[in-house]
Structure formats: C-alpha cells, structure tokens
Amino acid sequence: REAFRREIISLKERRRVSVGPVISFVFENRDTIRFQVQEMARVERMITDEAIQSELDAYNPLIPDPGELSATMFIELTDDAGMRNWLPKLVGVERTASLRIGAPGSGNGGFDVVSSIPEASHEENLTRDSVTAAVHYIRFELDAGEVERFAAGPVELRVDHPEYHYGTPLTDITRVELLRDLRP
C-alpha cells in the first residue's frame, strides 16, 4: 500500500494545476480513481461488496475515455471567512473552466477553446443557486484535431467566471502526462 501511495502522490503532482489563488484541478485517471476508492474503503472501513460497489459506481464515471480529460476542481479554502466570501461568489464555476489549445495566430488560425462539462450525476448533488460546493467533477472532450494540437502545445487551463478570471499554462510534464488519457 505504501509504495502505491507514493506512486499516486507523484502521479497527482504531475496532474495537479493551480489556477489563480483558490482553485486547483487534479486530472483523474484509472490509477487516481483506484486509489480514491481504496482510501474511501479503508477510511470508512467498508467490508461488504455492496459498500465497495457503491464507491465504484460513484467514482468510475470519473475515469476518462480516450479523447477526454476528467478533473476534480477544488476550491481550496481553509477558513470560514474565505468560504463565506468565495463560495457564494463562485456559483456556476464548474461551467467556466476551459482549455485554450494552441496560440493566437498559430497555423490553425488561433487557439481552440474546449469548455468544461460538469459530471451530470455529481452536479445534481452539488449545484445550488446561492452557494457553490468546494469540489466539482468536470470533463473536457477533445476531437482528434484538438488532441494533436494539445500534443503540440501550448495549452492553458482557464477559469473565466464573472468573479474569477485566471489562467495557467500547462507545463510540458503535465501536458505529456495528460496525453496518456487523450490518446487510446
């Protein structure tokens, strides 16, 4: 377990992207989800097949298919004042993340924008009109051309919410790591 835990921590470091002062993303894959399910089973002392199956049913939809990226969006706040300030302001933030692929004026006529799609089953439970949740599950669906432009770079992960406008270029290490999800 300890060796697998160290491997997942290293993997998540390559797959974590901070965007602005309070939002970060961890791009999920089969290994990160497997670790999450194992940790939930361990922490909650799940011993029945039914309990473990329930966790699998909740988390398996977060494993990306080829041509997709799946991410957990975290609003990282550690104090009550920050939560009272940010969570009401960021309602709908899960719909405002995007990938900007390429560069303006590049050979493809500019950059492509791939918008986030909230994970439907989780959105149903997390979305409220007056305050957002601190965790959202989203995905990005890229066509074959967008995957190849993603491979060539540059790629910027953005959040363009009325109350939060930030972007972060993906490092080459992160981009190469995420290509493993995008390419079959």
Side-chain angles (χ1 to χ4, degrees), residues 56-64 68 70 119 121-122 139:
L56 290 169
D57 292 344
Y59 285 101
N60 277 346
L62 303 180
I63 298 171
E68 294 180 345
S70 177
E119 187 65 40
S121 61
H122 293 279
R139 71 180 53 247

Side-chain angles (χ1 to χ4, degrees), residues 1 8 17 37 54 60 78 82 100 121 138-139 154-155 175:
R1 177 183 175 275
I8 294 300
V17 180
V37 170
S54 178
N60 277 346
T78 57
R100 285 195 182 170
S121 61
I138 62 173
R139 71 180 53 247
V155 178
R175 206 167 36 75

